[in-house]
Amino acid sequence: MAFELRTRLDTASNHLHLQLHSDGDRGDGSVKYVLTGDGAGTLFKIDEKSGDIHATKRLDREEKAYYILHAKAVNRFTNEALEGESEFIIKIHDINDNEPRFTKDPYMAGVPEMSDVGTSVIQVTATDADDATYGNSARVVYSILEGQPYFSVDAETGLIKTALPGMDREVKEHYQVVIQAKDMAGQMGGLSGTTTVSITLSDVNDNPPRFTKTLYEFRVAESNELGSTVGVIRAVDADIGQNAEMDYRIIGSDAPGMFDVTVNRSTQEGVIVLRKPLDYEKKRQYSLRVQVENVHINPRFYSMGPFRDEASVKIVVEDVDEPPVFERPSYIMEVKEDTARNTVIGSVSASDPDDKHSLVRYTIDRRTDMDRVFNIHAGNGSVFIFRELDREENAWHNISVIATEFNNPRQTSSVPVYIRVLDVNDNAPTFATNYETFVCENAKANQRIQTVSAMDPDEPLGGHRFIFSLAPEAVGKANFSVRDNKDNTAWILTRRNSYSSLQKSIYHVPVVITDGEFPVQSSTNTLTIRVCTCDREGNMKLCNPEALTARAGLSTGALVAILLCVIILLMIVVLFAALRRQRKKEPLIISKEDVRDNVVSYNDEGGGEEDTQAFDISTLRNPEAIEESKQRRDIIPETFYPPVRRPVVPPASRDNNGDVRDFINQRLQENDSDPTAPPYDSLATYAYEGNGSVAESLSSLESVTTEGDQDYNYLSEWGPRFKKLADMYGGDDSDS
């Protein structure tokens, strides 16, 4: 048995119909056809009884070019295969149902301006989904719809080229080109697609720079600073970017080096700057010849040149009122340090550049000569000494001289003046340091005990030459000698064999030091020598205490004087303190009668009113008792001031006064208005306990004048803590 596959195409629906038929099928419905494989049951469906196969939708070769299916026939009732499984392949033949599509839309491209004909711009590509191996459905041909006559396209490759020579970016920069791709080799009935290509002409340096003017004129003040801008010149170039970059230079000038020209790269302008000072009185006008040239020149376009331009520049100098000008930028003067005051040591000179006959006034800037060592003649600029000089104190003086116009004091200028003070031999040499010299008791004659040198603040041209000798008054009785070594040092030598610290512990050797300059200067310097006990090698072991004191630079008499001064100072301090204690004021509170509360300390629990005998409570309760003027206890009475009249408290206030608040306020007012109050701080204490307590106050300030008027029976109601007070005060009058 075998399968038979019958094919039929429904032209109305363009659907494919297939039919399977088995030789064993007798038409009684006992055969069942089964289909498996690609798209079986979805794209392809089979009628189980008749074996008809049909596609459920239109087939597209671009989606799938062929399908592999498997078919078999089985007994519907027993499901036994009547024949073996058969495989068949359904191939989809291509038709031209897809138009060409470009890979981009739009395309962006560029080409240099002035390009030759046939210069490649860009290649466009279109693809067709149809089968390229079957007919001409996928064969694409390119053509240009828009963009002629500037550009052309290759029909086979899609390469766009320039078609017109001399395309100038400065005339037209952007172009829109429409390209068509058509299949079927461009034949009638073929499908087509289009794309747009945006082509921009890029710039080349085909235009030279040109000045906007042939003559530029600028005016500048003669006071302009170096490096300042004089004027700006401008050239234009139709090109853009680096093709429009320009350089400016001066190719001719009647004052070379006076001006320079630079380029502002952001604006491509030429900036003329000042390089040398201007002077209206010397030259009032300048002429320049300036050239501009492209920086980047394309050799291909040399024939379109020259790529440069020239222009003239006229600069007019304007006059301004200038400050005086000194003849020199600085002055150096020299003067000997012993020169007398008011001696002229030099002069400065300045003039008004606007008017040579204008007067100038000279002064010294005192900020540079705070000590007023120098002065200057206001009219002729002569500098003279105003104070004595000392080279050893200050070898150089740097001052500033100010020149001011008489007609316009705001116009000033200054110049530095450096004054060098020359040395004069006016200082005597002295010991180079403080020497600590000792001699051993067992010293031998002509033994060296010290080497001394000298110093001199003067600075002779040939260097120092010091001469050492023993003072003439000490030569005859000298215990030591001085030997000059001729090298600015000297030795101190012993003149006898032994010394005794008991006989004399300190020797003073006067040494005369003389310099070799003119005028000769000399000084006598005293060398203090201590007598000490030494070992055999000459090392010091013990010196006299008096000698040790002398080593510190103080004699015994000086120490005694210092101690006496210290003792006298201590006595003065003690005496002063004692006098202050005697003059101390009487304390403010010295009597029990003073209307102040006293602090009483006791250890008895519940002492109560027994401990308040230090004051009279009736005084506080009856302010009328203290209305009389009384002397203050804290100061000495003064009869110069009249007694202070205290304000009278109204009777109603006295009767209703249940506390001492009014009394305290009255005392405060008296202290504030008392003219006899002491100048030092004083403390007046008044206590106000307040009111509102549930248990009422236990203070004696709230008690009545006498104890008999007070009823203390309520204390027994306050509990065990007040039992002792209730026993003491709560009984009958006879008990109290």
Side-chain angles (χ1 to χ4, degrees):
M1 299 180 70
F3 271 121
E4 180 183 0
L5 179 63
R6 301 169 183 173
T7 305
R8 180 174 59 89
L9 178 63
D10 187 354
T11 57
S13 61
N14 201 23
H15 285 177
L16 178 66
H17 292 273
L18 302 174
Q19 185 179 23
L20 294 176
H21 182 73
S22 174
D23 293 342
D25 187 1
R26 298 182 179 85
D28 56 1
S30 61
V31 178
K32 177 182 178 182
Y33 295 95
V34 178
L35 183 67
T36 60
D38 296 338
T42 56
L43 182 60
F44 300 100
K45 290 190 176 182
I46 188 170
D47 189 325
E48 295 178 349
K49 294 181 179 181
S50 64
D52 290 340
I53 301 173
H54 66 274
T56 60
K57 65 177 182 178
R58 183 175 179 177
L59 301 179
D60 191 351
R61 189 203 64 84
E62 286 71 36
E63 292 183 4
K64 193 172 180 66
Y66 62 91
Y67 298 88
I68 300 175
L69 297 175
H70 298 85
K72 65 181 179 178
V74 298
N75 188 293
R76 181 181 300 277
F77 305 105
T78 63
N79 208 27
E80 293 181 359
L82 301 178
E83 295 184 20
E85 186 178 79
S86 298
E87 178 184 274
F88 57 92
I89 299 173
I90 300 176
K91 291 185 178 181
I92 311 300
H93 289 286
D94 184 41
I95 62 173
N96 188 22
D97 59 345
N98 291 279
E99 72 275 5
R101 295 181 181 274
F102 284 94
T103 57
K104 292 182 181 179
D105 189 21
Y107 285 86
M108 308 297 294
V111 63
E113 63 173 331
M114 311 302 290
S115 296
D116 296 331
V117 175
T119 302
S120 298
V121 179
I122 191 174
Q123 185 175 15
V124 296
T125 303
T127 59
D128 195 318
D130 293 327
D131 189 0
T133 63
Y134 181 77
N136 293 327
S137 298
R139 185 180 176 186
V140 178
V141 175
Y142 300 95
S143 62
I144 183 167
L145 300 182
E146 295 181 14
Q148 294 174 329
Y150 306 103
F151 301 95
S152 64
V153 62
D154 188 284
E156 298 293 335
T157 63
L159 180 62
I160 300 176
K161 302 178 181 179
T162 58
L164 191 68
M167 286 191 293
D168 194 350
R169 186 200 65 84
E170 288 74 31
V171 176
K172 185 176 181 180
E173 184 176 3
H174 301 287
Y175 294 85
Q176 296 288 335
V177 178
V178 178
I179 302 297
Q180 181 190 65
K182 189 175 183 180
D183 59 12
M184 297 299 292
Q187 298 176 5
M188 186 72 67
L191 302 178
S192 65
T194 60
T195 187
T196 302
V197 182
S198 295
I199 302 176
T200 301
L201 296 183
S202 59
D203 186 55
V204 297
N205 190 10
D206 58 340
N207 293 279
R210 291 290 181 261
F211 278 110
T212 57
K213 298 180 182 179
T214 58
L215 176 63
Y216 293 86
E217 183 173 344
F218 304 105
R219 308 185 74 85
V220 58
E222 63 174 332
S223 60
N224 272 27
E225 297 181 354
L226 300 183
S228 60
T229 300
V230 175
V232 176
I233 56 178
R234 178 175 175 80
V236 295
D237 192 327
D239 297 321
I240 60 174
Q242 69 173 12
N243 296 318
E245 292 183 0
M246 296 171 278
D247 276 340
Y248 297 83
R249 62 191 182 97
I250 298 174
I251 59 176
S253 173
D254 57 357
M258 180 66 68
F259 302 95
D260 194 8
V261 59
T262 61
V263 183
N264 184 341
R265 287 301 175 192
S266 61
T267 61
Q268 296 301 319
E269 295 175 333
V271 181
I272 300 176
V273 295
L274 182 64
R275 292 304 183 198
K276 293 182 179 180
L278 297 173
D279 192 343
Y280 174 83
E281 288 70 29
K282 293 182 179 180
K283 189 172 179 62
R284 302 184 180 184
Q285 182 175 309
Y286 296 88
S287 297
L288 307 177
R289 190 68 180 168
V290 181
Q291 183 185 82
V292 62
E293 185 177 13
N294 277 135
V295 177
H296 307 283
I297 301 177
N298 192 336
R300 180 183 166 206
F301 302 105
Y302 275 152
S303 59
M304 304 179 67
F307 287 84
R308 65 177 66 92
D309 196 15
E310 296 180 2
S312 298
V313 179
K314 179 181 178 182
I315 300 174
V316 179
V317 181
E318 296 180 340
D319 186 29
V320 296
D321 190 5
E322 300 173 279
V325 178
F326 284 92
E327 292 181 351
R328 302 180 191 173
S330 62
Y331 292 83
I332 298 178
M333 303 178 184
E334 293 184 346
V335 58
K336 290 186 176 182
E337 61 178 321
D338 62 347
T339 302
R341 294 172 55 183
N342 297 323
T343 301
V344 176
I345 62 174
S347 63
V348 298
S349 178
S351 60
D352 186 355
D354 301 314
D355 184 3
K356 299 296 182 182
H357 301 288
S358 178
L359 297 179
V360 176
R361 181 174 178 269
Y362 302 93
T363 56
I364 292 180
D365 187 352
R366 289 306 173 187
R367 293 174 297 180
T368 62
D369 186 25
M370 302 292 290
D371 297 331
R372 295 182 176 268
V373 179
F374 303 95
N375 210 342
I376 190 170
H377 192 281
N380 58 25
S382 298
V383 180
F384 56 89
I385 300 174
F386 197 64
R387 289 190 177 182
E388 294 181 354
L389 301 174
D390 188 354
R391 189 204 64 83
E392 288 72 31
E393 181 180 345
N394 200 345
W396 283 90
H397 295 269
N398 302 328
I399 65 174
S400 294
V401 175
I402 301 174
T404 306
E405 291 185 12
F406 267 95
N407 298 331
N408 187 1
R410 292 179 297 179
Q411 295 294 340
T412 63
S413 60
S414 62
V415 67
V417 179
Y418 309 105
I419 302 174
R420 180 185 180 186
V421 182
L422 302 178
D423 186 37
V424 174
N425 192 30
D426 57 349
N427 292 279
T430 59
F431 277 147
T433 184
N434 293 325
Y435 294 100
E436 298 179 359
T437 307
F438 70 93
V439 61
C440 295
E441 290 182 327
N442 57 355
K444 303 298 182 181
N446 291 324
Q447 180 180 339
R448 184 182 65 181
I449 61 174
Q450 183 70 56
T451 300
V452 296
S453 60
M455 59 173 291
D456 190 337
D458 295 322
E459 294 181 358
L461 296 178
H464 291 293
R465 174 65 183 94
F466 300 123
I467 301 171
F468 299 86
S469 63
L470 195 63
E473 64 271 13
V475 171
K477 53 182 179 178
N479 294 286
F480 302 90
S481 61
V482 178
R483 178 185 297 177
D484 193 341
N485 297 324
K486 308 299 183 181
D487 60 354
N488 292 338
T489 64
W491 289 352
I492 308 299
L493 306 175
T494 59
R495 296 189 64 179
R496 53 192 178 92
N497 286 328
S498 62
Y499 296 85
S500 175
S501 60
L502 297 177
Q503 294 179 358
K504 190 171 184 179
S505 60
I506 295 177
Y507 291 89
H508 298 286
V509 179
V511 179
V512 178
I513 307 175
T514 306
D515 59 22
E517 301 299 317
F518 181 83
V520 176
Q521 300 287 344
S522 64
S523 66
T524 301
N525 298 263
T526 301
L527 181 66
T528 301
I529 301 176
R530 297 178 290 125
V531 180
C532 300
T533 302
C534 303
D535 56 17
R536 292 182 179 181
E537 286 76 17
N539 298 320
M540 181 180 65
K541 295 175 60 179
L542 180 64
C543 285
N544 189 286
E546 182 180 355
L548 293 175
T549 304
R551 177 181 178 182
L554 296 175
S555 63
T556 304
L559 288 176
V560 172
I562 292 175
L563 291 175
L564 288 176
C565 291
V566 172
I567 294 173
I568 292 174
L569 287 175
L570 290 175
M571 293 178 63
I572 292 175
V573 171
V574 172
L575 182 60
F576 180 74
L579 291 175
R580 288 194 62 181
R581 284 198 298 271
Q582 292 180 3
R583 296 176 57 187
K584 228 175 185 180
K585 294 292 183 179
E586 187 180 27
L588 295 175
I589 302 175
I590 59 175
S591 173
K592 295 181 179 179
E593 298 178 357
D594 200 332
V595 189
R596 320 276 173 102
D597 198 358
N598 292 338
V599 179
V600 181
S601 177
Y602 55 90
N603 294 325
D604 191 6
E605 181 181 357
E609 299 291 335
E610 293 179 346
D611 301 323
T612 57
Q613 300 301 324
F615 54 86
D616 186 3
I617 194 62
S618 62
T619 304
L620 293 178
R621 296 294 297 169
N622 186 14
E624 293 181 350
I626 57 174
E627 288 296 328
E628 299 177 2
S629 177
K630 294 183 180 181
Q631 294 291 342
R632 289 172 60 107
R633 294 178 178 270
D634 55 349
I635 62 171
I636 301 175
E638 297 287 348
T639 58
F640 180 77
Y641 297 102
V644 179
R645 300 300 300 173
R646 297 183 176 88
V648 179
V649 180
S653 298
R654 299 192 194 109
D655 296 340
N656 299 331
N657 188 10
D659 51 33
V660 295
R661 177 164 42 195
D662 293 338
F663 169 75
I664 293 175
N665 292 334
Q666 178 181 345
R667 280 291 189 239
L668 289 175
Q669 184 178 0
E670 291 176 5
N671 278 276
D672 291 340
S673 59
D674 189 358
T676 63
Y680 51 84
D681 294 338
S682 61
L683 178 65
T685 304
Y686 305 99
Y688 170 61
E689 189 176 69
N691 51 24
S693 174
V694 177
E696 298 183 356
S697 176
L698 294 179
S699 172
S700 58
L701 296 177
E702 293 293 334
S703 305
V704 293
T705 304
T706 62
E707 296 180 0
D709 299 333
Q710 179 66 37
D711 183 10
Y712 297 102
N713 292 328
Y714 60 85
L715 293 176
S716 59
E717 300 175 0
W718 286 6
R721 294 187 179 183
F722 295 88
K723 183 177 184 303
K724 185 172 182 63
L725 289 177
D727 294 341
M728 295 175 59
Y729 295 95
D732 297 334
D733 294 342
S734 59
D735 296 335
S736 63

